[in-house]
Amino acid sequence: MNSLVELALGWNKLTGMIPPVLANLSNIRVLYLHTNELGGPIPSELGNLHNLIDLSLHSNKLIGFIPHSLANLSKLEILYLYENQLSGPLPSEIGVMENLVQLDLFENNLSGPIPHSLANLSTLEKLYLFENQLSGPLPSEIGDMKNLVELALCQNNLSGPIPHSLANLSRLKELYLYENQLSGPISQDLGSQASNLVIELFDNLLSGSLPQQICQGRSLQKLTVNNNSLMGPIPDLRNCTSLRRVRLENNLFVGNITNSFGVHPYLYYIDISHNRLYGELSPNWGECKNLSMLKISGNNISGKIPSEVGQLTQLGKLDLSFNKLAGEIPKELGRLSGLLWLYLNDNQISGHVPVEIGKLINLEHLDLSSNMLTGSIPTQLGQCSKLLSLNLSCNSLNGSIPSEIGDLVFLQTQLDLSHNSISGLIPSQLAKLVMLEILNLSHNIITGFSDMLLHHNHLETTKGYAVNFKVYLPAINLVQVRDIVKMDTKSSYPSLLL
């Protein structure tokens, strides 16, 4: 078969080792053995296939080192060895494969430093080395690889600074350096190229400020730098209308965000939580119509929640907790029919719980605790039939517990109405909450259980805890609510505690 120029055996169930006799196919240009169950080492004899252009051995069970002899494949343009169990260092000889366009070695056990010789691959467009055990610094010479379009070195043990030279890669569209141990500042020129689409640097040890011109090319789509030690102001992103995903949470960013963002028609995910940001929420958020996640918790945001947020019909998660928001909860939030999570807790929000919240029929988690809410608990909450967790604690709510709360039969994580001014009896309908784990009604003015609850004796208490009720001392229980873990012994009112 000396005339064979292409051999494609991928996507089969081949086992055993790659036979060295394949090296006799002297005219072969394409060799596909990928997506099989081949094991053992890569035969060094494959380095004799001097006409080879495309070598795909990925998605097998190959072990051992990458043979140095592969550097003899001077015509090779595509080398796919990813998703194997290859180990050892990256051979520096790869740097002589001057026609290489795509080099994919990810998801192996490769270790050691990235060879400086890779910078000699002047035609390389795609370099994927992620999910290995590579260590040491990023070679500054990578900035000389002028044709690089995609660079993925994430999920390794790389350390040291991000070389300033990466900003010279004028064709670079996607940069993935996340989940390493990279430290130091980010070059202020990074992101200034018009080609930049994706910059993902999260879970490192980076410090300093974000480049203020990070979206100068106005093509940036994804910016994820969360879980670092970045500080300073968030860059002005008002004109970066190309944004789709932004994650800046868990850093040390400071500054007024009132005018940091504009109208982003493609943005679907943004999280700027747990920083030191202040200012007010702009009504422009309501124009980001594709948003499915909006998280701004753990900052010092003040002012009111813009009613325009109610226009975000695609929103699934809204978290504005742990800020200094005031005013009332906009009734327009009731339009967010797809909302799953609503966290407004630990603010200074006042007024009543809007009855429109009952229209959120897909809501799973609702936390309005630690605010200044007044009035009664709306009966319409019983229409949020998919709720798993409901926390209205630490407010100034009054009136009785609506019997409709008993319709929330999927409540599981918690029902916390503690630290309010709720009065009356605990409604018998709560007996239907058979999945509930934590019920906290402490620190209210509740006077007892309804008669129906007294006829059941399935309540389980934690050993060593006694029940101290103001009334109804005998074996009072909540029917079938079998997973309650603690009983309050400090309050003089009926209460089951977290």
Side-chain angles (χ1 to χ4, degrees):
M1 303 178 68
N2 288 338
S3 299
L4 195 67
V5 295
E6 181 173 333
L7 177 60
L9 299 175
W11 297 99
N12 280 291
K13 296 183 179 180
L14 298 175
T15 59
M17 302 173 67
I18 298 175
V21 295
L22 290 178
N24 296 330
L25 302 174
S26 57
N27 290 308
I28 197 164
R29 302 180 57 166
V30 176
L31 178 57
Y32 289 162
L33 300 178
H34 63 85
T35 322
N36 281 287
E37 298 178 17
L38 297 169
I42 299 173
S44 60
E45 290 84 353
L46 295 186
N48 296 324
L49 300 174
H50 299 293
N51 289 305
L52 205 58
I53 294 176
D54 189 343
L55 176 59
S56 294
L57 307 179
H58 64 86
S59 305
N60 279 290
K61 299 178 181 179
L62 301 172
I63 61 173
F65 290 10
I66 297 174
H68 294 255
S69 61
L70 294 187
N72 298 327
L73 304 176
S74 58
K75 296 181 180 180
L76 199 66
E77 297 178 1
I78 297 174
L79 178 57
Y80 287 167
L81 303 180
Y82 61 88
E83 292 178 355
N84 279 290
Q85 300 168 29
L86 300 171
S87 58
L90 278 173
S92 59
E93 290 84 355
I94 289 180
V96 304
M97 303 172 75
E98 58 183 16
N99 288 304
L100 210 55
V101 176
Q102 298 187 26
L103 176 59
D104 285 11
L105 308 179
F106 62 88
E107 290 188 40
N108 279 288
N109 297 310
L110 301 172
S111 59
I114 297 174
H116 293 257
S117 61
L118 287 187
N120 298 327
L121 303 176
S122 58
T123 60
L124 198 67
E125 296 179 358
K126 181 180 176 182
L127 177 57
Y128 276 11
L129 303 179
F130 62 89
E131 281 195 60
N132 280 288
Q133 300 172 27
L134 299 172
S135 58
L138 292 178
S140 60
E141 291 86 351
I142 290 179
D144 297 330
M145 303 171 73
K146 302 298 185 182
N147 285 302
L148 264 185
V149 175
E150 299 177 22
L151 176 60
L153 308 178
C154 46
Q155 297 172 292
N156 280 289
N157 297 311
L158 300 170
S159 57
I162 298 174
H164 291 270
S165 59
L166 292 191
N168 299 329
L169 300 174
S170 60
R171 295 189 60 199
L172 192 66
K173 291 185 177 181
E174 301 180 17
L175 175 62
Y176 304 97
L177 300 179
Y178 60 85
E179 293 183 23
N180 279 290
Q181 300 172 34
L182 299 171
S183 58
I186 301 171
S187 169
Q188 289 299 306
D189 294 323
L190 190 67
S192 60
Q193 303 288 351
S195 61
N196 297 147
L197 299 179
V198 177
I199 298 177
E200 300 205 341
L201 310 177
F202 62 88
D203 288 335
N204 277 290
L205 304 170
L206 299 170
S207 57
S209 60
L210 270 181
Q212 293 303 301
Q213 306 300 322
I214 200 164
C215 193
Q216 181 172 309
R218 299 192 181 184
S219 58
L220 188 63
Q221 296 179 6
K222 295 183 181 180
L223 174 63
T224 59
V225 297
N226 47 298
N227 302 325
N228 281 287
S229 296
L230 297 168
M231 57 187 67
I234 292 177
D236 187 346
L237 298 173
R238 283 177 292 182
N239 295 321
C240 197
T241 56
S242 56
L243 284 175
R244 286 166 167 76
R245 183 178 178 90
V246 177
R247 297 195 63 175
L248 309 180
E249 75 268 21
N250 297 321
N251 280 288
L252 302 170
F253 291 120
V254 298
N256 191 330
I257 67 158
T258 306
N259 297 314
S260 293
F261 297 91
V263 176
H264 306 283
Y266 306 107
L267 187 66
Y268 65 87
Y269 189 116
I270 184 164
D271 190 345
I272 55 176
S273 301
H274 304 294
N275 283 288
R276 300 173 181 178
L277 304 168
Y278 60 91
E280 298 187 2
L281 298 177
S282 169
N284 285 336
W285 288 114
E287 299 300 322
C288 302
K289 299 297 178 63
N290 277 317
L291 267 179
S292 62
M293 170 82 81
L294 176 58
K295 298 183 69 175
I296 312 182
S297 64
N299 284 287
N300 293 303
I301 309 301
S302 57
K304 298 181 178 181
I305 301 172
S307 60
E308 289 83 358
V309 173
Q311 301 172 14
L312 302 176
T313 56
Q314 302 299 315
L315 202 60
K317 298 179 181 179
L318 175 60
D319 188 352
L320 306 177
S321 61
F322 294 97
N323 279 291
K324 297 179 179 178
L325 294 168
E328 299 185 353
I329 299 173
K331 63 181 181 180
E332 288 81 2
L333 296 189
R335 301 173 184 169
L336 305 178
S337 58
L339 200 64
L340 302 174
W341 293 2
L342 177 56
Y343 294 139
L344 304 180
N345 53 287
D346 292 88
N347 280 287
Q348 300 168 22
I349 298 171
S350 58
H352 293 189
V353 178
V355 297
E356 289 80 5
I357 296 293
K359 297 179 180 179
L360 303 178
I361 58 174
N362 289 299
L363 199 62
E364 296 179 354
H365 300 276
L366 175 60
D367 194 340
L368 307 180
S369 63
S370 300
N371 278 290
M372 302 165 62
L373 297 170
T374 57
S376 59
I377 299 172
T379 60
Q380 289 82 356
L381 282 186
Q383 299 170 17
C384 300
S385 58
K386 295 183 180 179
L387 271 179
L388 303 174
S389 173
L390 173 59
N391 192 346
L392 303 179
S393 64
C394 300
N395 281 287
S396 298
L397 299 171
N398 55 35
S400 60
I401 301 172
S403 60
E404 289 81 359
I405 297 297
D407 295 331
L408 303 176
V409 294
F410 291 107
L411 273 179
Q412 181 175 354
T413 308
Q414 66 172 336
L415 171 57
D416 193 345
L417 308 179
S418 65
H419 294 273
N420 281 287
S421 298
I422 298 171
S423 58
L425 300 177
I426 300 175
S428 60
Q429 288 81 0
L430 294 196
K432 296 187 290 184
L433 306 181
V434 297
M435 299 174 64
L436 189 62
E437 296 175 359
I438 298 170
L439 174 62
N440 190 351
L441 306 179
S442 64
H443 302 282
N444 279 291
I445 320 172
I446 295 171
T447 54
F449 291 94
S450 66
D451 291 342
M452 179 180 178
L453 292 175
L454 304 182
H455 298 130
H456 301 276
N457 44 27
H458 299 302
L459 183 63
E460 297 181 2
T461 62
T462 300
K463 183 178 287 188
Y465 288 84
V467 182
N468 180 15
F469 291 117
K470 184 176 181 180
V471 291
Y472 302 129
L473 290 176
I476 300 173
N477 75 86
L478 282 184
V479 189
Q480 303 172 8
V481 182
R482 299 186 175 99
D483 298 322
I484 302 297
V485 294
K486 290 185 180 179
M487 306 285 298
D488 186 15
T489 61
K490 300 178 182 179
S491 173
S492 58
Y493 303 118
S495 55
L496 303 176
L497 283 181
L498 180 63

